[in-house]
Amino acid sequence: MEHRLIKKRFIQTSAIRQINETTIVLRHFIELSAKLLPFFNELSMKNALLPQEQSDRNKIIEVYRHYSFDTSTSEILMESDILEIIRETFRLIEKRKPGKESESDKLMIAFKKKHQQLVENWHQTEMN
């Protein structure tokens, strides 16, 4: 019986590998969002877009519409609601009317703060 209890305390190597891979993908998506969301927000403020800007806007929309994720993933792996913030920020930027105030501006600030906190956490972890 004691042998069974000890076995249940350990995570299998394959599960650890899967968690690590998921964390890497998540970090990549967060870093990508740190570049795309501010640019997308800038584009959304313009009254008229140049053809290249419209193309960039459409590509960003496609990235977020086709990137399916469960927002609880970042809560579980990083103790952060950053995926929920990313999802909501994208949604509000996409709906934004040019020249108008938007809640997306407030969420962009929240996203940047969360992103900075995570980057600091990642650097701290890498130093250990």
Side-chain angles (χ1 to χ4, degrees):
M1 177 149 166
E2 188 175 316
H3 180 65
R4 262 190 257 149
L5 290 175
I6 292 172
K7 262 186 153 176
K8 291 185 180 186
R9 291 183 189 173
F10 295 100
I11 299 175
Q12 293 182 354
T13 305
S14 61
I16 292 171
R17 190 173 316 127
Q18 186 175 17
I19 290 168
N20 288 339
E21 288 172 3
T22 302
T23 302
I24 290 168
V25 170
L26 182 56
R27 282 179 65 169
H28 175 72
F29 181 71
I30 292 167
E31 290 299 323
L32 180 67
S33 294
K35 293 177 176 85
L36 291 181
L37 287 178
F39 181 57
F40 188 46
N41 198 39
E42 284 179 36
L43 292 176
S44 74
M45 291 183 216
K46 293 185 175 189
N47 287 319
L49 296 176
L50 298 171
Q52 183 59 48
E53 291 172 326
Q54 185 61 51
S55 175
D56 291 342
R57 183 180 189 281
N58 293 341
K59 288 176 185 175
I60 292 169
I61 290 169
E62 288 302 309
V63 165
Y64 286 96
R65 284 195 181 156
H66 288 97
Y67 217 107
S68 62
F69 51 82
D70 182 349
T71 58
S72 68
T73 305
S74 66
E75 293 172 13
I76 294 166
L77 294 177
M78 298 180 175
E79 297 179 357
S80 173
D81 62 345
I82 196 158
L83 285 181
E84 183 61 39
I85 292 171
I86 290 170
R87 176 179 278 161
E88 189 62 18
T89 303
F90 168 75
R91 188 183 69 75
L92 290 174
I93 293 171
E94 187 179 27
K95 291 174 131 184
R96 182 184 203 134
K97 304 255 189 282
K100 304 260 183 182
E101 291 285 320
S102 173
E103 287 293 314
S104 66
D105 296 326
K106 292 177 187 171
L107 277 175
M108 279 302 307
I109 293 168
F111 169 72
K112 288 177 181 180
K113 285 181 183 176
K114 289 279 184 177
H115 174 254
Q116 187 59 41
Q117 288 172 344
L118 286 172
V119 168
E120 289 171 11
N121 290 349
W122 297 336
H123 287 303
Q124 187 68 29
T125 300
E126 289 168 0
M127 289 175 63
N128 288 334

